[in-house]
């Protein structure tokens, strides 16, 4: 081959960076083309206001795939994770609140103030979630079985999966299979009576989802957020310097292996010749040829925008068009003069160091979703906030703070009206007003406010429909059905074209696993 | 409710036998007279006027119209210049035929595609992402087939322009009785002939003008029975009879590829993309399992089979459309899907799907016939299609 590169990666999101680093590590000449000014995709920290640095996309880490951390020696490239303790503080509208800690015994103590029976159940709940989380992690750690692909992984992988399921024991297996399709409300019904606890946990079943806690499969979405063998419920991990620092770490690791990264380079089209990927064309017309193209863009964007429809079968395109992309999140960032003072909260700032969840009960969440179901912004939104400047003072001027808030539900498509300036302000106002119900000093403490609506998120990060997961994490869109049934193994109908982003198994979040599996697939294809 | 075609006010009074049949939601005459023989003879010896309005017709427009059709059809549509007509099938992703029809290029960015079954959904789906629109013109465009050795004379008499130069599978725009029409040198009879495409609202005028112009040439309205005999002689396929559209087949084995239907010549594997290409390429490499061929039944054998009962051979004057087993040495090797007595060739002919091993021209096979309630086998010879191909068809 006379091409200058073996592989061109479209998009330098964290998954793309992982894929590129692995390919370069295996000796390939890799070029990454990123449209934005920085690598990292939804891992993006910017000094939006002088002295105040905000995460524009993700603000906490799920769990970086350990092999990625080791293989790419991320520690030596500056990986600096900040585990949070407490994990979460859930203020109550009546004042006070519930704090959950990394240590289950400490959480149980906190819960005991609300309900002794809930406190008694907490250790068991932690074990159950850990068991299920560890199982999911073991599934996520491998590329999916593709039941539709006859030449696929074959019986051994299926047997392997079955064995891991068996290892949970009869009880564990039954519990897990029962949980996956449940609503997160039912899951909570199984365990707890305290509204505040149910609301704070249940919220994780709907984060990023166009669903309320009474929708089937939200228990799975909750477990997806716990896909880890660590015995922690609602664990929160941040990165020193903001999520952008993780992007920089991954970029450094990729470049150390020889990956060439060009930012400000939007890919307009993938060249297909004779059914094979042959290169790309940038929006400015520049053509770069390579026999292998990997797309970190979501599957919709990849197949519907970057490829001539002639090259793909109508049935395949129909499936791609039918992937559910439903943006429901907005990002509100506040530059604060002082820390929020939550009514009746314990003294000091200890409780503010993890996630701060405004979801006082499951009905609150469901009602917030009801608005979105009819295309309206939630009157009282669910908020997932964090104040990373507490643990990392570099993010704000001395004594001041940054608060980043994921606001839900803000439907991408409004039933009446559009996302204009007025709506953007409305969203910011509602967010601050909601916070003020719990921490009355917030409105007065706001120095600056940045609001990213779902269309802003779409245009900022190239996330179709503002869907933060590159396609909803519903049970019909995960595992061997991600992005679509029959094409779950990172390959595409176009030879030499691969997917590596969150639109593939195991989906959205900051894990690097899709990118890791994509690299594995590509390397085994080229053996 | 079934409706009449745009020509109903003209065809209804002529339909002496009230012999109507259903076609795509319309009624059309099976035969106008009590038998169709006279109408068939008009096709082969003078000129016949056949109402083919129920054909599905789609207008495809836009800067990507050519690319859309090139994606759908197996033919190389980039070679279909303005004024040209192309016949071809289209396939699903697995390379099985969905339908077949003629494609007229009316302008740089305007085409008309005909089909036997509704295809709007398939075309629209295939058009997603392309700058092309698909419109169903089936009800608004009427169509007449003017077929037979004197068709050119009739048309010359009826229309404002000279059609002497209109070559086979070309089209032109003209006026008949003042009505703007598209005339294509196409048809379903294998004879010299034209098809005339017009706005449904002008149907009466065009019909009347043609009938008047055709009087000196013995122009005869003909129904579907006559057409059916002619199309078998011409070796032309009929959807739902000679093949089952892939999107309607209940089981895989009922589907056919273009290779299996003898449409190899329409499949342009050198095109880099069209729907079904990968599957067709693979099939082409391994060779198709079936072939659609002609059968000519052996006269002596027919005489013997019927002779057993003291009867002369019973011949199908009306074409049949059922599945009839075909054997070689007692083993079934295929099935015939339509057959007829050819009055022109004076032969009993049929179209048959044969396993490739038994499909070579000249192979001796046996086709089942029912004589006096008993199933018998009549020997037959595998032949090339078309059975009948007069020089005037293309001349
Ligand atoms: C507001 C927000 C909050 C979130 N919060 C969290 C959280 O707290 N925790 C968590 O775990 N997850 C969170 N997520 C989800 C998580 O960030 C994503 O699922 C994950 O980052 C996706 O990574 P990726 O590498 O697959 O794709 P992306 O990060 O989306 O990267 C894709 C990259 O491709 C580039 N690109 C696309 N098309 C082109 C093109 N044509 N040419 C050139 N470049 C192109 C884009 O610019 C982008 O950089 C959040 C997401 C958002 C948006």
């Amino acid at each position: 081959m006379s091409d200058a590169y073996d592989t061109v990666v479209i998009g330098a999101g964290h998954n793309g960076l992982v894929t590129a680093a692995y390919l370069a590590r295996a000796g390939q000449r890799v070029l990454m083309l990123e449209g934005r000014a920085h690598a990292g995709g939804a891992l993006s920290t910017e000094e939006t206001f002088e002295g105040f640095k905000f995460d524009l996309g993700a603000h906490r880490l799920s769990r970086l795939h350990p092999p990625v951390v080791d293989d790419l020696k991320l520690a030596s490239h500056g990986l600096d994770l900040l585990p949070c303790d407490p994990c979460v503080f859930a203020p109550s509208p009546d004042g006070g609140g519930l704090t959950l800690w990394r240590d289950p015994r400490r959480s149980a103590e906190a819960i005991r103030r609300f309900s002794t029976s809930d406190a008694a159940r907490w250790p068991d709940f932690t074990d159950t979630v850990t068991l299920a989380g560890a199982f999911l992690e073991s599934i996520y750690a491998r590329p999916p079985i593709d039941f539709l692909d006859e030449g696929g992984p074959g019986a051994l992988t299926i047997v392997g999966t079955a064995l891991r399921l068996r290892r949970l024991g009869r009880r564990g297996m039954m519990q897990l299979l029962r949980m996956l399709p449940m609503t997160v409300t039912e899951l909570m019904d199984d365990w707890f009576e305290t509204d505040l606890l149910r609301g704070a946990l249940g919220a994780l079943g709907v984060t990023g989802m166009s669903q309320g806690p009474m929708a089937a499969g939200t228990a799975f979405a909750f477990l997806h957020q716990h896909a880890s063998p660590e015995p922690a419920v609602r664990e929160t991990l941040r990165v020193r310097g903001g999520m952008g620092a993780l992007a920089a770490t991954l970029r450094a690791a990729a470049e150390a292996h020889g990956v060439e990264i060009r930012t400000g380079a939007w890919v307009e089209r993938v060249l297909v010749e004779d059914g094979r990927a042959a290169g790309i064309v940038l929006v400015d017309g520049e053509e770069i040829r390579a026999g292998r193209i990997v797309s970190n863009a979501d599957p919709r964007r990849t197949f519907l925008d970057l490829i001539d429809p002639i090259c793909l079968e109508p049935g395949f395109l129909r499936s791609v068009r039918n992937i559910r992309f439903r943006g429901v999140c907005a990002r509100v960032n506040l530059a604060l003069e002082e820390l929020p003072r939550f009514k009746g909260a314990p003294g000091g700032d200890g409780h503010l160091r993890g996630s701060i969840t405004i979801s006082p009960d499951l009905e609150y969440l469901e009602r917030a979703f009801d608005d979105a179901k009819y295309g309206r912004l939630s009157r009282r939104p669910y908020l997932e906030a964090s104040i990373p400047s507490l643990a990392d003072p570099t993010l704000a001027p001395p004594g001041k703070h940054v608060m980043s808030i994921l606001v839900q539900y803000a439907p991408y498509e409004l039933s009446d009206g559009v996302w204009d300036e007025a709506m953007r302000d409305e969203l910011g106002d509602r967010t601050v007003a909601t916070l003020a119900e719990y921490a009355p000093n917030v409105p007065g403490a706001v120095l600056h406010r940045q609001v990213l609506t779902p269309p802003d998120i779409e245009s900022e990060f190239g996330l179709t429909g503002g869907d933060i997961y590159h396609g909803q994490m519903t049970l019909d869109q995960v595992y061997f059905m991600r992005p679509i049934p029959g094409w779950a193994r990172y390959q595409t109908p176009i030879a030499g074209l691969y997917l590596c982003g969150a639109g593939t198994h195991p989906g959205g979040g900051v894990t690097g696993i899709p990118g890791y599996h994509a690299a594995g697939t590509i390397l085994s294809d080229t053996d | 409710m079934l409706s009449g075609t745009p020509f109903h006010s003209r065809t209804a009074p002529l339909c002496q036998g009230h012999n109507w049949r259903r076609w795509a939601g319309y009624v059309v005459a099976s035969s106008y007279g009590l038998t169709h023989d006279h109408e068939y003879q008009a096709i082969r010896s003078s000129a016949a006027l056949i109402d083919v309005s129920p054909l599905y017709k789609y207008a495809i427009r836009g800067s990507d119209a050519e690319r859309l059709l090139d994606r759908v059809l197996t033919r190389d549509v980039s070679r279909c210049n303005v004024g040209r007509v192309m016949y071809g099938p289209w396939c699903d992703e697995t390379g099985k035929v969905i339908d077949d029809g003629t494609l007229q290029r009316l302008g740089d960015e305007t085409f008309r595609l005909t089909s036997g079954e509704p295809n709007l959904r398939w075309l629209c789906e295939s058009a997603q992402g392309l700058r092309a629109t698909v419109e169903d013109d089936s009800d608004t465009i009427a169509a007449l087939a003017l077929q037979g050795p004197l068709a050119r004379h009739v048309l010359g008499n009826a229309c404002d322009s000279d059609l002497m130069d209109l070559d086979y599978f070309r089209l032109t725009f003209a006026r008949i009785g003042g009505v703007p029409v598209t005339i294509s040198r196409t048809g379903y009879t294998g004879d010299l002939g034209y098809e005339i495409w017009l706005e449904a609202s002008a149907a009466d005028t065009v019909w009347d003008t043609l009938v008047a112009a055709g009087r000196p040439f013995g122009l005869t309205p003909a129904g579907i029975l006559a057409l059916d005999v002619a199309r078998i002689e011409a070796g032309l396929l009929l959807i739902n009879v000679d093949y089952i559209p892939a999107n309607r087949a209940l089981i895989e084995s009922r589907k056919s590829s273009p290779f299996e239907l003898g449409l190899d010549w329409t499949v342009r594997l050198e095109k880099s993309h069209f729907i079904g290409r990968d599957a067709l390429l693979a099939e082409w490499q391994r060779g198709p399992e079936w072939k659609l061929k002609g059968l000519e039944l052996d006269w002596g054998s027919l005489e013997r089979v019927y002779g057993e009962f003291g009867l002369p051979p019973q011949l199908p004057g009306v074409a049949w459309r059922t599945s009839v087993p075909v054997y070689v040495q007692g083993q079934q090797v295929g099935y015939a899907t339509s057959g007829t007595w050819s009055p022109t060739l004076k032969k009993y002919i049929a179209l048959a799907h044969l396993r490739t091993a038994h499909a070579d021209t000249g192979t001796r096979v046996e086709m089942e016939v029912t004589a006096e309630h008993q199933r018998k086998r009549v020997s037959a010879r595998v032949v090339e299609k078309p059975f009948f191909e007069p020089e005037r068809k293309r001349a």
Side-chain angles (χ1 to χ4, degrees):
Chain A
M1 227 190 294
S2 59
D3 301 334
Y5 301 99
D6 300 308
T7 302
V8 167
V9 181
I10 303 170
H14 81 286
N15 282 311
L17 287 164
V18 168
T19 304
Y22 273 97
L23 297 184
R25 180 172 168 258
Q28 293 191 13
R29 295 161 302 164
V30 183
L31 173 67
M32 294 196 89
L33 298 167
E34 168 57 52
R36 303 182 73 232
H38 303 285
L43 312 189
S44 166
T45 306
E46 283 184 20
E47 189 169 334
T48 314
F49 307 106
E50 205 186 328
F52 294 93
K53 295 192 189 127
F54 290 102
D55 285 332
L56 304 191
H59 58 177
R60 58 183 195 87
L61 206 55
S62 319
R63 179 168 185 269
L64 276 180
H65 197 38
V68 171
V69 176
D70 297 343
D71 294 344
L72 301 182
K73 304 197 169 51
L74 296 187
S76 73
H77 292 289
L79 181 69
D80 191 356
L81 298 181
L82 299 172
C84 301
D85 205 17
C87 302
V88 62
F89 169 61
S92 154
D94 321 321
L98 172 65
T99 310
L100 297 177
W101 306 84
R102 295 180 77 80
D103 176 357
R105 281 166 305 188
R106 204 167 166 198
S107 298
E109 279 320 304
I111 295 168
R112 197 180 311 283
R113 295 204 344 267
F114 295 86
S115 155
T116 47
S117 80
D118 284 0
R121 285 164 163 263
W122 184 254
D124 268 358
F125 179 72
T126 305
D127 287 349
T128 304
V129 171
T130 306
L131 193 76
F135 174 75
L136 279 188
E137 198 260 354
S138 74
I139 295 288
Y140 290 1
R142 290 163 181 80
I145 297 172
D146 194 339
F147 293 103
L148 291 179
D149 178 6
E150 280 158 26
L156 267 181
T157 334
I158 297 178
V159 170
T161 309
L163 277 179
R164 278 193 297 283
L165 196 55
R166 279 299 300 276
R167 238 176 270 143
L168 299 175
R170 276 168 194 274
R171 222 190 132 68
M173 194 162 76
M174 195 273 289
Q175 259 180 338
L176 180 78
L177 292 177
R178 177 166 177 276
M179 266 192 286
L180 294 178
M182 269 178 139
T183 73
V184 76
T185 298
E186 287 158 351
L187 180 65
M188 291 300 113
D189 287 346
D190 267 4
W191 291 93
F192 303 118
E193 58 184 20
T194 306
D195 278 339
L196 204 52
L197 179 60
R198 290 156 55 92
L201 296 178
L204 238 54
V206 300
T207 308
M209 307 281 285
S210 179
Q211 289 186 324
M214 295 177 189
T218 44
F220 160 73
F222 172 85
L223 293 175
H224 174 71
Q225 305 270 359
H226 291 93
S228 153
E230 315 287 339
V233 173
R234 287 224 51 167
E235 190 182 17
T236 300
L237 264 180
R238 294 210 198 95
V239 180
R240 191 178 302 282
M243 297 297 267
L246 175 57
T249 297
L250 286 166
R251 178 177 184 152
E255 284 175 336
H257 285 296
V259 175
E260 183 182 333
I261 302 177
R262 274 171 67 181
T263 52
W266 286 109
V267 174
E268 182 171 81
R269 207 145 49 81
V270 173
L271 292 171
V272 180
E273 287 168 11
D274 234 343
R276 281 202 64 94
I280 59 90
V281 181
L282 294 175
V283 281
D284 66 11
E286 183 183 347
E287 192 178 305
I288 300 170
R289 299 190 64 88
R292 197 176 306 102
I293 307 294
V294 185
S295 175
N296 189 190
D298 69 51
R300 275 264 198 106
R301 221 150 259 257
T302 304
F303 295 121
L304 302 187
D305 294 352
L306 299 183
I307 293 169
D308 185 345
I310 301 274
C311 306
L312 292 161
E313 304 285 20
F316 177 85
L317 289 173
R318 187 194 320 132
S319 304
V320 171
R321 280 194 301 273
N322 289 346
I323 301 173
R324 243 172 304 113
F325 281 80
R326 299 268 195 282
V328 289
C329 294
R331 156 76 67 224
V332 173
N333 287 325
L334 303 178
L336 295 178
E337 174 71 50
E338 57 172 354
L339 283 174
R341 285 192 299 276
F342 284 88
K343 290 187 286 186
D349 58 25
H351 56 292
L352 301 178
R353 289 177 171 262
S355 294
I356 301 165
T357 297
I358 306 288
S359 166
D361 56 65
L362 291 167
E363 201 187 317
Y364 177 98
L365 273 187
E366 185 69 16
R367 292 215 183 280
F369 174 64
D370 283 345
D371 287 324
K373 184 169 155 195
Y374 297 103
R376 292 189 293 262
L377 174 62
S378 301
R379 272 161 293 192
R380 309 181 81 208
Y382 147 49
L383 307 180
E384 191 70 43
S386 64
I387 309 177
S389 49
L390 270 171
D392 183 359
T394 62
L395 298 175
K400 310 219 184 338
H401 286 282
V402 289
M403 184 175 201
S404 70
I405 310 161
L406 196 69
V407 183
Q408 211 170 314
Y409 300 81
Y412 176 79
E413 271 183 65
L414 295 168
S415 57
D416 34 34
V418 290
W419 282 108
D420 53 13
E421 277 309 314
M423 267 316 281
R424 183 180 290 121
D425 285 344
E426 174 69 27
L427 171 62
D429 291 348
R430 276 191 212 185
T431 304
V432 172
T434 303
L435 266 178
E437 288 178 32
Y438 299 81
N441 72 323
V442 166
V446 176
L447 298 170
H448 307 284
R449 178 172 99 181
Q450 178 189 27
V451 179
L452 296 176
T453 66
D456 294 336
I457 289 176
E458 176 175 55
S459 57
E460 181 69 41
F461 299 111
L463 293 165
T464 301
D467 192 312
I468 68 168
Y469 296 140
H470 290 205
Q472 292 276 284
M473 290 295 298
T474 46
L475 279 175
D476 60 322
Q477 297 198 151
V478 296
Y479 199 33
F480 61 88
M481 295 169 284
R482 192 168 188 87
I484 60 169
W487 293 103
R489 294 174 62 81
Y490 312 93
Q491 287 130 330
T492 70
I494 293 171
L497 176 69
Y498 297 84
L499 294 181
C500 74
T504 60
H505 172 78
V510 185
T511 64
I513 311 182
Y516 174 81
H517 290 327
T521 302
I522 293 164
L523 291 174
S524 68
D525 277 4
T526 44
D527 277 349
Chain B
M1 214 182 54
L2 294 173
S3 46
T5 75
F7 298 105
H8 198 68
S9 69
R10 297 300 186 266
T11 53
L14 298 173
C15 194
Q16 294 169 1
H18 293 287
N19 197 359
W20 298 98
R21 84 182 311 149
R22 296 161 57 162
W23 180 9
Y26 291 95
V27 287
V28 290
S30 289
S31 64
Y32 292 93
L34 297 181
T35 69
H36 66 281
D37 306 341
H38 175 60
E39 296 163 23
Y40 166 80
Q41 290 306 337
I43 294 175
R44 291 289 180 232
S45 56
S46 57
L49 191 59
I50 308 157
D51 179 4
V52 293
S53 301
L55 275 172
Y56 290 94
K57 305 164 221 84
Y58 300 97
I60 294 108
R61 300 188 182 89
S63 54
D64 277 339
E66 178 188 302
R67 304 184 73 218
L68 164 61
L69 290 159
D70 196 56
R71 171 191 207 190
V72 172
L73 270 68
T74 58
R75 302 268 327 245
D76 182 353
V77 175
S78 69
R79 298 185 50 195
C80 187
N81 302 326
V82 176
R84 194 171 161 190
V85 186
M86 266 187 175
Y87 164 81
W90 50 99
C91 298
D92 67 7
E93 287 99 333
T94 64
K96 303 295 184 181
V97 177
I98 292 177
D99 210 324
D100 64 316
T102 54
L103 177 68
Q104 310 168 7
R105 187 159 202 166
L106 303 172
D108 240 3
E109 300 188 352
T110 314
F111 293 83
R112 177 182 293 131
L113 181 68
T114 67
S115 69
E117 287 285 338
N119 275 274
L120 186 64
R121 191 185 139 87
W122 184 248
L123 292 169
C124 287
E125 188 158 285
S126 304
Q128 290 260 1
L130 295 176
R131 277 178 288 262
T133 60
V134 182
E135 207 174 313
D136 188 342
D137 278 348
S138 305
D139 293 340
T140 52
I141 301 289
L144 285 172
L146 176 62
Q147 305 279 308
L150 301 182
R152 187 180 284 137
H153 294 76
V154 175
L155 211 47
N157 217 7
C159 122
D160 66 343
S161 53
D162 184 14
L163 294 162
M164 286 310 283
D165 294 340
L166 187 62
D167 287 339
Y168 190 54
F169 270 77
R170 292 291 188 283
L171 63 80
T172 188
F173 304 100
R175 281 175 188 273
I176 294 180
V179 174
V181 298
T182 307
I183 299 174
S184 57
R185 175 112 180 248
T186 49
Y188 198 45
T189 62
D191 218 300
L192 169 65
Y194 302 88
E195 287 170 308
I196 302 156
W197 314 84
L198 54 133
E199 288 295 329
S201 54
D204 291 354
T205 310
V206 172
W207 177 279
D208 294 344
T209 310
L210 283 169
V211 166
R215 207 157 283 135
F217 304 102
L219 177 69
T220 306
I224 301 303
L225 293 178
L227 183 62
D228 211 11
V229 173
R231 71 99 190 163
I232 296 174
E233 291 175 334
L236 298 171
L237 303 183
L238 182 56
I239 192 168
N240 291 316
V241 171
D242 298 309
Y243 74 93
I244 295 173
N247 50 1
R248 291 170 172 241
L250 293 177
I251 50 174
E252 208 52 38
S253 59
R254 290 191 182 173
K255 302 176 181 174
S256 299
S257 76
F259 299 125
E260 293 173 336
L261 296 180
L263 298 175
D264 314 37
W265 63 278
T266 66
V267 182
R268 302 263 59 105
L269 287 172
E270 63 275 17
K271 290 201 291 179
S272 55
H273 302 288
F274 63 90
I275 300 168
R277 178 181 182 264
D278 292 352
L280 289 171
L281 187 62
E283 183 184 353
W284 180 74
Q285 280 158 352
R286 50 167 204 270
E289 281 179 44
W290 295 88
K291 282 195 175 150
L292 189 92
K293 298 284 278 206
L295 296 184
E296 260 179 33
L297 277 72
D298 185 78
W299 183 256
S301 176
L302 274 169
E303 276 188 328
R304 273 192 298 283
V305 163
Y306 286 96
E308 255 185 71
F309 305 98
L311 290 169
Q314 310 280 296
L315 301 170
V318 173
W320 49 259
R321 337 172 136 182
T322 44
S323 177
V324 174
V326 175
Y327 301 88
V328 166
Q329 292 170 347
Q331 288 284 319
Q332 188 172 351
V333 298
Y335 53 99
T337 45
S338 25
T340 186
W341 171 251
S342 164
T344 301
L345 300 169
K346 306 280 182 277
K347 281 176 183 162
Y348 186 169
I349 56 176
L351 295 172
H353 294 261
L354 300 171
R355 292 207 175 273
T356 306
H358 303 283
D360 287 347
T361 299
T363 307
R364 307 294 316 189
V365 298
E366 290 181 315
M367 190 184 89
E368 187 175 287
V369 295
T370 304
E372 272 321 273
H373 321 294
Q374 292 182 26
R375 297 194 193 281
K376 299 285 178 185
R377 289 172 194 175
V378 172
S379 72
R381 207 163 55 87
V382 177
V383 298
E384 294 291 333
K385 303 173 293 152
F387 300 94
F388 176 66
E389 190 175 31
E391 241 173 60
R392 61 181 180 256
K393 176 172 101 173
R394 290 165 186 276

